[in-house]
Amino acid sequence: MTSGRLVEYEGGGDETRSNPWLAELQQQMFVEINPADANNAGVKHGEQVWVEGPEGGKIKVMAFVTNRVGRGLVFMPFHFAGHYQGKDLRNKYPEGCDPYILGESCNTVFTYGYDSVTAMQETKVSLCRLQKA
Amino acid sequence: MKLIKRSTSPSAAHQKNLNRREFIKHSGLAVGASALASQLPFTMMEKAQAQATQLTNTPEIATIKSVCTHCSVGCGVIAEVQNGVWIGQEPAFDHPINLGAHCAKGASVREHGHGDRRLKYPMKQINGQWKRITWQQAIDEIGDKMLEIRQQSGPDSVYWLGSSKHNNEQSYLFRKFAAFWGSNNIDHQARICHSTTVAGVANTWGYGAMTNSFNDIHNSKAILIIGGNPAEAHPVSMQHIFKAKEQGAPLIVIDPRLTRTAAHASQHIRLRPGTDVPLILGMLWHIFENHWEDKEFIRQRVYGMDKVRKEVAQWTPDKVEQVTGVSENELYQAAKTMATHKPGTFIWCMGGTQHTIGNNNTRAYCIFQLALGNMGVAGGGTNIFRGHDNVQGATDLGPNAHTLPGYYGLAEGAWKHWATVWDIDFQWLSGRFDKALYDDGTGANKRTMNMSGIPVSRWIDGILEEKQNISQQDNIRAMVLWGHAPNSQTRAPEMKKAMEKLDLLVVVDPYPSNSAVLHDRTENTYLLPASTQFETYGSLTSSNRSLQWRDQVIEPLFESRPDHQILYQFAEKLGFADQMFKHIQVKNSVPLIEDITKEINKGTWTIGYTGQTYERLKKQQQNWHTFNTTTLIAEGGPCDGEYFGLPWPCWGTSEQQHPGTPILYDTTKPVAQGGLTFRARFGVERDGVSLLAEDSYSKDSEIKQGYPEFSADLLKQLGWWNELTDKEKQLAEGKNWKTDLSGGIQRVAIKHGCAPFGNAKARCIVWQFPDPVPVHREPLYSNRRDMVNKYTVYGQKYLTTFIIIDLHSVCYRMSKVHFSA
């Protein structure tokens, strides 16, 4: 699996997901899955899917079935937070301060691994398992 | 300049002379009323009466210039403010970088001025419930707890996680703050963004930054983007890329995913994630095979290409295809495009950097450009697009675990340099740190003052790891997450545990962030509302090393406070405000930004942050329309001859009026006009081979060969010492171009056409790194079992890390040299 950015949000996304104009444009955390992989996992576009990482983390997100990713690769944006392993944490924010859009963080499943010189984390390649939720 | 002509007729709000609160209240009512009206019988509706009420005391609309806070492109923002309320936003058509364009994020920054979902007051958890408290209570309680932890566990048990969202002055102040607190446990997002770029690139040719600019891409004859998706991450940069493309430059995008950027590509290459090195070396295989390399450039300006050739020789097209999944034909085509369309630019982002061998990837990219002779030329370069709006400035000046501002490092000399700038007794400063010695990971024992702190990527290990495995007195017991989104970091389940184990968790942010909700803490958790950059002012450094000045758009919203004010309050509570703000004026607990800019100018010689005074930056901001949109040079007007943002290095003192360096290592210009050589950073020879440039020098240089970095001694040897004034001589004696606070050494070197940092070759071999020549290693979690044993990850050989002993057998160390200036 790999991760990246969306034009509507920035970084961890707390600020941009709290902006109504941007929130309206991108309302759901998702995982891009190649049609072949989706078919093998029995998952259809728009359905919920569990993405499980090799170190025990798992997240429940919407399947975005697309050829943007090749077979054997899934992509997730990293701007979302506020859901944790299937649980919505909205009621834990101070009143009136919860971002409009919440979602699972892909880094709940991304794993250990650091650059040998600078301790950069390895977020552009790891492994996962998909299961229909 | 307006996109849409505004109606000159008075708005509803003006007609009734409402204040903001009433206006919002009434407009809310109005929505309800119109919804109701639609259900009323026609006869009950009154005909609308346009009330041509005469306006009285209409507040003027002020136009304020700022810069977008969402990415490092540095787009100008024009805010319209009336009566203290941010009412409108206009595209900055005359801004040289964005030329009126905004992406979705930039177009909606006005929302910052409303901030419905902002954290409004300081808050504290009591029995798991958020309660509003005062600032005073927050600072007192947090400060008392920190002092208690300091007493019991030492200063390294409090971690200060800063941000790329600070402006330059706040970033610098944040680093200074940690120094005065007495710990290097401070870091920020650059670590998990482009740290491998900074380390890889700086170790190749001297500076770790984007070499050219977004605008300079107009001059590119080919564009290669690997592991970057600017169409989404840096949307406004695309207009510069498109300009080159419209002029005929092919666009090659290398990415495992068909991104929105790849959709525009002339050629899209999908590689298996984590195989950048074999892919680049595979392209070099075609380049060497077809003799497309720039032999004269390599002879004059590159060290160690012969070693690269040996590594490249084994990456035959079939082997490259096995590892990367990219066919011979595809790669040949891409290599040929780059070799036959020169100069070409090479752009990369997180797709290349965020790997266990990120530093190998970034060095492979540099070597590619060196082989083609694409460095130091307009249209060429390694154009590294940074992430956050001020991540470049924060890297240069701010919260970093491994260095003081300006990449001076953490050795005693670096501390003494800054102690002099701060006018503080070095012994006093030293006394703020833990006095004990710890294993620095290489077998040597050092004080934590002289060791890299725990990097942001590993703070959770600083909390969870056994105490004896960490080179400091105790675990991290208090975390301050200041402008940091923890969901940008991996291993969330372990992070949750770590947050729950802390004695104290403090979040300083305009929003509560994931740090407020991820854990199940019930006490000793504080949320402090910080202001955004639109509620304060100061400078920032965009990706292309250009500094820009933001004016303040609105007053801090709700009870939020700007970062520098909060830092002052903590410094006061923790007992070092007098020393820390010795030369910074403070009014009503708010430090004066301009005084901080001055202090940055006074001390940051290494990367040329000395010439960008706030006066010059403000003048440029007022005249941003006078800059050429390709070269970024001001054509006439008050800034005539200066480059936009005085891109660093802007050498010498401001009296020298250096115009900034728009393209790094460009020998076609004199240094005084923004020209440069490769930096002599790695000594003058290696194994008997010279590391200095051969027959290559910047225009008008009086030394027509390579030369080492300038020092007082070198000036004397050259017979140039007496060109210093008496005052300069006093300060320059025994110093070099980085530590001479008079600026005289830099001034005299530049006067003779020389680069203060020397004239050397770029190097393809970084002998201090685990892999001196970039090689392939499989990702830690690889999908190719057959490759894992062939291209192994690092073993026990690299047993050290920043100051944490590694959890797995895969161990990483922090090179002691890679960032030091």
Side-chain angles (χ1 to χ4, degrees), chain B residues 534-668:
Chain B
F534 298 113
E535 295 148 71
T536 183
Y537 68 99
S539 70
L540 80 157
T541 307
S542 305
S543 193
N544 68 315
R545 298 169 284 106
S546 277
L547 277 71
Q548 296 192 62
W549 193 266
R550 282 192 186 108
D551 283 340
Q552 181 170 348
V553 177
I554 47 171
E555 288 299 312
L557 284 182
F558 311 108
E559 286 189 11
S560 73
R561 292 180 178 181
D563 294 343
H564 50 294
Q565 183 181 5
I566 305 171
L567 281 168
Y568 176 78
Q569 290 178 294
F570 273 123
E572 200 179 30
K573 170 70 191 172
L574 299 171
F576 50 82
D578 288 349
Q579 293 93 332
M580 183 173 161
F581 294 89
K582 198 169 175 183
H583 296 287
I584 299 168
Q585 192 187 322
V586 180
K587 261 191 201 164
N588 300 325
S589 82
V590 183
L592 184 65
I593 288 288
E594 285 87 345
D595 278 358
I596 308 173
T597 320
K598 267 195 233 168
E599 203 170 281
I600 294 170
N601 295 150
K602 190 179 168 196
T604 318
W605 300 90
T606 42
I607 47 174
Y609 262 78
T610 44
Q612 304 99 332
T613 58
Y614 64 85
E615 293 97 338
R616 292 180 87 189
L617 294 174
K618 286 178 181 179
K619 187 169 72 175
Q620 285 209 346
Q621 184 233 49
Q622 287 306 308
N623 294 284
W624 69 25
H625 60 284
T626 62
F627 291 84
N628 183 293
T629 57
T630 294
T631 61
L632 291 180
I633 200 167
E635 294 170 331
C639 308
D640 190 26
E642 290 179 2
Y643 290 97
F644 185 62
L646 301 167
W648 67 256
C650 179
W651 298 112
T653 59
S654 64
E655 289 78 50
Q656 293 170 43
Q657 292 287 305
H658 191 270
T661 308
I663 296 171
L664 293 176
Y665 324 120
D666 177 3
T667 53
T668 64

Side-chain angles (χ1 to χ4, degrees), chain B residues 340-581:
Chain B
T340 54
H341 294 73
K342 293 209 299 187
T345 187
F346 196 116
I347 298 165
W348 74 79
C349 284
M350 315 287 88
T353 64
Q354 292 177 336
H355 294 277
T356 49
I357 55 161
N359 78 85
N360 287 10
N361 293 346
T362 59
R363 286 181 293 133
Y365 307 153
C366 294
I367 289 168
F368 183 87
Q369 286 295 70
L370 289 172
L372 289 178
N374 272 335
M375 293 310 301
V377 289
T382 51
N383 280 323
I384 303 134
F385 291 4
R386 304 295 307 258
H388 289 290
D389 61 311
N390 196 34
V391 65
Q392 186 61 52
T395 306
D396 296 335
L397 302 166
N400 296 300
H402 61 279
T403 182
L404 287 167
Y407 310 97
Y408 278 83
L410 295 171
E412 190 170 298
W415 285 104
K416 284 188 169 158
H417 169 75
W418 281 106
T420 308
V421 175
W422 296 332
D423 190 18
I424 284 291
D425 176 38
F426 169 73
Q427 291 306 331
W428 177 84
L429 197 58
S430 175
R432 298 288 301 161
F433 285 77
D434 186 351
K435 291 181 181 59
L437 300 176
Y438 301 93
D439 182 357
D440 77 340
T442 64
N445 284 326
K446 282 185 185 165
R447 291 182 61 196
T448 55
M449 184 183 194
N450 304 113
M451 258 197 268
S452 290
I454 296 174
V456 57
S457 47
R458 307 297 300 269
W459 62 265
I460 47 182
D461 296 316
I463 299 167
L464 296 175
E465 188 53 44
E466 293 293 327
K467 206 191 295 192
Q468 64 269 20
N469 288 343
I470 307 173
S471 292
Q472 63 181 41
Q473 191 182 333
D474 200 347
N475 286 99
I476 296 170
R477 293 177 55 197
M479 270 307 291
V480 183
L481 293 146
W482 197 317
H484 181 80
N487 51 313
S488 60
Q489 286 187 248
T490 56
R491 300 163 62 200
E494 284 169 276
M495 183 188 290
K496 180 174 185 297
K497 264 188 236 158
M499 283 179 168
E500 286 161 6
K501 198 183 156 201
L502 286 168
D503 291 17
L504 174 68
L505 174 63
V506 182
V507 178
V508 188
D509 204 288
Y511 296 86
S513 89
N514 200 34
S515 309
V517 298
L518 177 64
H519 52 81
D520 291 321
R521 296 172 66 86
T522 55
E523 304 286 344
N524 291 318
T525 312
Y526 294 83
L527 308 176
L528 306 182
S531 306
T532 67
Q533 292 303 331
F534 298 113
E535 295 148 71
T536 183
Y537 68 99
S539 70
L540 80 157
T541 307
S542 305
S543 193
N544 68 315
R545 298 169 284 106
S546 277
L547 277 71
Q548 296 192 62
W549 193 266
R550 282 192 186 108
D551 283 340
Q552 181 170 348
V553 177
I554 47 171
E555 288 299 312
L557 284 182
F558 311 108
E559 286 189 11
S560 73
R561 292 180 178 181
D563 294 343
H564 50 294
Q565 183 181 5
I566 305 171
L567 281 168
Y568 176 78
Q569 290 178 294
F570 273 123
E572 200 179 30
K573 170 70 191 172
L574 299 171
F576 50 82
D578 288 349
Q579 293 93 332
M580 183 173 161
F581 294 89

Side-chain angles (χ1 to χ4, degrees), chain B residues 174-211:
Chain B
F174 202 93
R175 187 65 187 84
K176 187 177 177 184
F177 179 94
F180 281 62
W181 166 256
S183 175
N184 292 324
N185 279 341
I186 168 179
D187 216 12
H188 78 287
Q189 296 92 352
R191 177 79 48 208
I192 53 174
C193 154
H194 265 298
S195 64
T196 46
T197 296
V198 177
V201 175
N203 274 284
T204 300
W205 43 55
Y207 283 149
M210 180 169 178
T211 59

Side-chain angles (χ1 to χ4, degrees), chain B residues 590-815:
Chain B
V590 183
L592 184 65
I593 288 288
E594 285 87 345
D595 278 358
I596 308 173
T597 320
K598 267 195 233 168
E599 203 170 281
I600 294 170
N601 295 150
K602 190 179 168 196
T604 318
W605 300 90
T606 42
I607 47 174
Y609 262 78
T610 44
Q612 304 99 332
T613 58
Y614 64 85
E615 293 97 338
R616 292 180 87 189
L617 294 174
K618 286 178 181 179
K619 187 169 72 175
Q620 285 209 346
Q621 184 233 49
Q622 287 306 308
N623 294 284
W624 69 25
H625 60 284
T626 62
F627 291 84
N628 183 293
T629 57
T630 294
T631 61
L632 291 180
I633 200 167
E635 294 170 331
C639 308
D640 190 26
E642 290 179 2
Y643 290 97
F644 185 62
L646 301 167
W648 67 256
C650 179
W651 298 112
T653 59
S654 64
E655 289 78 50
Q656 293 170 43
Q657 292 287 305
H658 191 270
T661 308
I663 296 171
L664 293 176
Y665 324 120
D666 177 3
T667 53
T668 64
K669 294 191 204 89
V671 176
Q673 292 169 32
L676 214 52
T677 52
F678 287 133
R679 179 174 172 186
R681 192 174 186 175
F682 318 109
V684 292
E685 63 163 47
R686 175 83 184 161
D687 300 332
V689 178
S690 171
L691 295 173
L692 300 179
E694 290 176 47
D695 308 325
S696 165
Y697 45 90
S698 53
K699 188 163 183 271
D700 299 342
S701 171
E702 289 177 23
I703 306 179
K704 312 280 183 203
Q705 268 301 351
Y707 48 89
E709 55 185 345
F710 274 80
S711 61
D713 286 348
L714 185 65
L715 283 190
K716 286 173 188 170
Q717 284 168 27
L718 291 165
W720 297 349
W721 177 253
N722 285 330
E723 294 175 36
L724 294 175
T725 65
D726 289 345
K727 207 175 157 196
E728 282 172 341
K729 277 180 188 168
Q730 268 180 12
L731 287 165
E733 186 63 68
K735 305 281 184 180
N736 60 34
W737 65 282
K738 296 176 288 193
T739 52
D740 162 26
L741 296 185
S742 78
I745 294 178
Q746 292 199 0
R747 183 179 65 77
V748 171
I750 292 169
K751 198 179 137 209
H752 290 276
C754 297
F757 65 24
N759 175 18
K761 288 179 171 176
R763 59 174 184 171
C764 299
I765 306 167
V766 180
W767 49 84
Q768 299 94 331
F769 279 11
D771 296 321
V773 172
V775 299
H776 176 53
R777 296 179 184 278
E778 277 293 305
L780 207 47
Y781 287 97
S782 169
N783 67 340
R784 289 287 297 273
R785 263 183 211 199
D786 56 326
M787 299 282 165
V788 170
N789 289 328
K790 226 169 170 178
Y791 305 104
T792 54
V793 293
Y794 300 102
Q796 287 290 342
K797 191 176 154 200
Y798 301 106
L799 197 60
T800 62
T801 173
F802 276 61
I803 52 177
I804 300 173
I805 292 183
D806 216 274
L807 305 174
H808 299 213
S809 62
V810 186
C811 300
Y812 306 109
R813 73 168 175 178
M814 170 73 172
S815 159

Side-chain angles (χ1 to χ4, degrees), chain A residues 7 55 92 112 116 119 123, chain B residues 105 354 457 519 781 806 813:
Chain A
V7 67
E55 291 174 0
K92 291 177 81 176
Y112 182 90
S116 55
T123 41
Chain B
K105 295 186 289 288
Q354 292 177 336
S457 47
H519 52 81
Y781 287 97
D806 216 274
R813 73 168 175 178

Side-chain angles (χ1 to χ4, degrees), chain B residues 39-52:
Chain B
Q39 296 162 14
L40 294 173
F42 182 73
T43 48
M44 288 182 71
M45 291 175 71
E46 270 182 63
K47 192 180 173 192
Q49 295 282 333
Q51 298 282 322

